[in-house]
Every structure is written in structure tokens, then in C-alpha cells.
């Protein structure tokens, strides 16, 4: 089996370095997007860091939280990688880490081959976020600014625009039979479904370009309304369905700390987010060291 790791990174490159070393395997290729806002990224250093995988740097775009640029980046990663027909495509951020070695991960996906690892949120949560795609959201690249005053002002303006649309019943012309779904935007999907998503690029752009945080809705909506939905792994089982360890109870999401090592390494999940090398490097180094030590065995935490 051959896997593609699709990585979106914009900071914490010491952590990214460790992530890439752990993913470096003859069975993997790496597709890396470095946010266009980043200055002086050492592409040559990271290219030479990879010894076994092939690494590809995709064209850089300016990615903004909440905006369509996030979806655009995902689609570019998928579009570039599907040409090589991998068995699985894993979307990770630059502040994620694998929790298992590559033998374990490949064995897991071999045993579950054909399943789509995509998270779906609860029905109540999905109903509360449908407005993100049903209505038009303007100036998405400015949804989150560093200036608190500008943020407050823009939030008020967007709230008025949204209320006006609801009052006048102005909505996007979305097929009434379409079931809108939402969930975690990080996934592991098969080649067949990845190709299906890429072929729906125009549809995605039409309905999600003026959305708010549409990256948490577009893939779930496509999957649920397609023949691939029957292949969803443990649908309705929280983050186990995408095999990510993500904690929204303690944070937004929670950044794992040094004292979380035992919790992380004993988890049955394959990947975890998020980490911060500046504040909690010990837990990162400990995970890195134990996975490097067990790099060529398939029994770690099995």
C-alpha cells in the first residue's frame, strides 16, 4: 500500500521537522503546503530532511481561518496527489503528530481498506452550523484579525448582514434534497473518494466559496450524499471515525502538554492535534523518541 500525507503548515517548523521525520517512509509520499504569509522558509533543508519518501511542495496560497482559502488549499493538495493513485490520503496540519509508527498505521489501513475516515459531528451541532453554507458570508479572509476592535466591528457587520438575509429569506440556491453535514476537517480517505472529491471542484467552489469555516462542512456533505457514505468508518463515534485524538473539552482545541504523554501514547488513535513546541517540547520529543525507537516494529501499542 502507498499513502499520501497532505500537510498544511504555517508555523512551528521545529515541530514540522519531527512530524516529517516520523512520516518519512518508502511507503509514503509527502505533499507540503507552506502558507504564503511565511517568510524565509528553508525549502532545501526540508527537502533534504526526507530520505525515503518523495516530498512535493505545492504552490503557496494565503490561507485565512474561516475562509474559502482553506478549502482551496485542501483541493489543491488532493488534485496534485490523486494523479499518483495512492491507497490513502491523510490530511494533517503542521502541528499534528502521528501516535503510532508507520508499520502500525499501514497495517491498520490495510485491515480497514476501503473505509473512509471522516468525522461527523452530532446532529445538534450540525444543525447549528448549517448557516455557514446556506447564507452568503462576505470578506471571509478577514474573519479573524489580530486587532480586537476591528474583529468586534466586523463581527457586528456580518451579524447584521446574516440577519438581513434570514429576514428576507435570501439563501444560496442549494438542492433541497442535499443533506448538509459537518465535522472535523482532518481526514484519511481512499483514492476512489479522493478522486470523486476532486471532480466536484466546481460544485465545491459554487456552494462553499462564500461560506464560513466551510472546510468543516464540504467534505462531510460530499461524502454523506454519495455512494461512499456506506464506507464511512464508525460513523457517529466521534473522533474515532477519523482516528484523530483532538480535545475540544479543554481547549479550542486543547494543546497537549508535557504531562499528557501517557494519555497520548496509550491512545488507540493514529494521529493527534495539536502541539506547541515552544511551550511543551518534552511531550513532543518523548513521542518522537519512542516512535523512532519502534520505527520498524508493528507491535507498538497494538
Amino acid at each position: 500500500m502507498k499513502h499520501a500525507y497532505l500537510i498544511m503548515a504555517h508555523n512551528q517548523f521545529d515541530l514540522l521537522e519531527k512530524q516529517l521525520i516520523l512520516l518519512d517512509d518508502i511507503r509514503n509520499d509527502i505533499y507540503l503546503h507552506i502558507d504564503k504569509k511565511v517568510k524565509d522558509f528553508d525549502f532545501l533543508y526540508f527537502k533534504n530532511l526526507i530520505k525515503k519518501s518523495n516530498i512535493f511542495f505545492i504552490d503557496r496560497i494565503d490561507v485565512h481561518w474561516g475562509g474559502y482559502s482553506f478549502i482551496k488549499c485542501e483541493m489543491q493538495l488532493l488534485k496534485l496527489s490523486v494523479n499518483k493513485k495512492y491507497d490513502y490520503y491523510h490530511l494533517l496540519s503542521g502541528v499534528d503528530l502521528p501516535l503510532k509508527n508507520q508499520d502500525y498505521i499501514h497495517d491498520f489501513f490495510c485491515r480497514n481498506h476501503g473505509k473512509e475516515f471522516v468525522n461527523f459531528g452530532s446532529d445538534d451541532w450540525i444543525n447549528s452550523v448549517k448557516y455557514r453554507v446556506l447564507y452568503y458570508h462576505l470578506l471571509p479572509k478577514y474573519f479573524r484579525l489580530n486587532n480586537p476592535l476591528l474583529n468586534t466591528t466586523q463581527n457586528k457587520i456580518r451579524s447584521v448582514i446574516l440577519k438581513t438575509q434570514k429576514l428576507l429569506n435570501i439563501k444560496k440556491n442549494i438542492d433541497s434534497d442535499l443533506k448538509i453535514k459537518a465535522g472535523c476537517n482532518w481526514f484519511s480517505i481512499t483514492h476512489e473518494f479522493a478522486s470523486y472529491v476532486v471532480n466536484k471542484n466546481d460544485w465545491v467552489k459554487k456552494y462553499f466559496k462564500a461560506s464560513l469555516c466551510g472546510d468543516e462542512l464540504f467534505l462531510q456533505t460530499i461524502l454523506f450524499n454519495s455512494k461512499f457514505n456506506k464506507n464511512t468508518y464508525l460513523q457517529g463515534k466521534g473522533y474515532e471515525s477519523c482516528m484523530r485524538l483532538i480535545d475540544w473539552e479543554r481547549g479550542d482545541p486543547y494543546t497537549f502538554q508535557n504531562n499528557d504523554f501517557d494519555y497520548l501514547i496509550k491512545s488507540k488513535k493514529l494521529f493527534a492535534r495539536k502541539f506547541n513546541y515552544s511551550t511543551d517540547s518534552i511531550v513532543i520529543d518523548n513521542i518522537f523518541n519512542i516512535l523512532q525507537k519502534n520505527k520498524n516494529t508493528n507491535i507498538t501499542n497494538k
Side-chain angles (χ1 to χ4, degrees):
M1 294 181 68
K2 192 82 171 178
H3 290 196
Y5 281 92
L6 318 177
I7 303 171
M8 298 173 61
H10 70 280
N11 62 7
Q12 295 203 51
F13 299 122
D14 289 338
L15 172 55
L16 176 66
E17 179 176 343
K18 291 187 178 297
Q19 180 196 70
L20 294 181
I21 292 173
L22 292 176
L23 299 178
D24 188 15
D25 188 286
I26 195 171
R27 297 164 291 185
N28 301 333
D29 283 344
I30 297 167
Y31 293 79
L32 181 59
H33 176 265
I34 302 299
D35 195 288
K36 197 171 184 178
K37 292 186 288 294
V38 174
K39 306 298 182 185
D40 301 321
F41 182 79
D42 194 339
F43 286 91
L44 182 60
Y45 174 79
F46 277 87
K47 181 179 180 180
N48 292 333
L49 183 71
I50 302 304
K51 306 302 182 184
K52 298 178 181 179
S53 302
N54 295 308
I55 185 168
F56 305 95
F57 299 97
I58 77 164
D59 291 342
R60 300 170 69 189
I61 63 175
D62 188 5
V63 177
H64 289 268
W65 180 92
Y68 181 72
S69 56
F70 205 110
I71 297 177
K72 182 179 178 181
C73 185
E74 287 186 45
M75 294 296 282
Q76 284 189 2
L77 285 162
L78 285 170
K79 185 176 180 180
L80 181 61
S81 56
V82 293
N83 293 324
K84 292 185 177 292
K85 298 182 179 180
Y86 299 94
D87 290 278
Y88 272 95
Y89 303 77
H90 310 283
L91 181 67
L92 301 176
S93 81
V95 294
D96 297 355
L97 280 177
L99 295 178
K100 311 295 182 188
N101 62 40
Q102 286 302 309
D103 282 345
Y104 185 104
I105 291 173
H106 276 264
D107 178 70
F108 175 86
F109 284 102
C110 184
R111 288 185 285 109
N112 293 281
H113 192 258
K115 295 294 184 181
E116 309 297 344
F117 295 82
V118 177
N119 165 259
F120 287 86
S122 67
D123 289 341
D124 287 344
W125 181 74
I126 291 173
N127 288 330
S128 73
V129 300
K130 284 182 179 180
Y131 76 94
R132 295 182 185 178
V133 66
L134 291 175
Y135 299 96
Y136 296 91
H137 299 270
L138 307 180
L139 302 175
K141 67 181 293 184
Y142 302 111
F143 276 131
R144 180 179 286 180
L145 300 173
N146 293 326
N147 187 313
L149 180 60
L150 284 178
N151 260 338
T152 301
T153 302
Q154 290 191 106
N155 285 338
K156 289 180 178 179
I157 294 172
R158 284 194 291 270
S159 178
V160 170
I161 294 173
L162 180 59
K163 288 178 180 178
T164 302
Q165 291 182 74
K166 291 180 178 179
L167 182 64
L168 300 177
N169 197 29
I170 299 173
K171 288 185 178 182
K172 294 178 186 174
N173 187 24
I174 296 177
D175 189 341
S176 59
D177 293 332
L178 187 73
K179 303 295 183 183
I180 296 175
K181 296 294 178 179
C184 168
N185 53 331
W186 312 104
F187 58 75
S188 298
I189 59 177
T190 64
H191 173 71
E192 290 74 18
F193 181 55
S195 299
Y196 182 79
V197 173
V198 168
N199 287 332
K200 290 186 74 68
N201 182 66
D202 291 342
W203 181 91
V204 171
K205 187 174 182 180
K206 178 180 179 180
Y207 292 119
F208 288 88
K209 189 171 185 180
S211 64
L212 169 62
C213 297
D215 56 294
E216 294 182 336
L217 292 97
F218 89 99
L219 194 81
Q220 284 80 4
T221 299
I222 293 175
L223 177 57
F224 191 84
N225 291 275
S226 75
K227 65 180 182 179
F228 298 97
N229 185 43
K230 68 180 183 297
N231 300 329
T232 304
Y233 181 76
L234 297 180
Q235 190 170 135
K237 296 295 184 180
Y239 289 106
E240 191 171 355
S241 59
C242 63
M243 295 304 289
R244 267 75 172 166
L245 185 61
I246 307 174
D247 187 346
W248 286 94
E249 297 296 324
R250 293 183 287 174
D252 191 29
Y254 173 72
T255 300
F256 292 109
Q257 301 177 6
N258 292 330
N259 58 6
D260 291 314
F261 174 74
D262 287 341
Y263 169 66
L264 288 160
I265 211 66
K266 291 177 181 177
S267 172
K268 293 183 179 180
K269 306 292 196 306
L270 302 179
F271 310 102
R273 73 178 316 265
K274 58 184 182 175
F275 297 89
N276 188 319
Y277 203 80
S278 299
T279 59
D280 294 281
S281 62
I282 294 175
V283 67
I284 296 167
D285 289 339
N286 285 343
I287 291 172
F288 178 83
N289 290 335
I290 195 170
L291 291 184
Q292 282 290 88
K293 180 180 178 181
N294 294 293
K295 199 165 189 176
N296 297 315
T297 176
N298 197 30
I299 61 174
T300 304
N301 295 330
K302 192 170 181 180

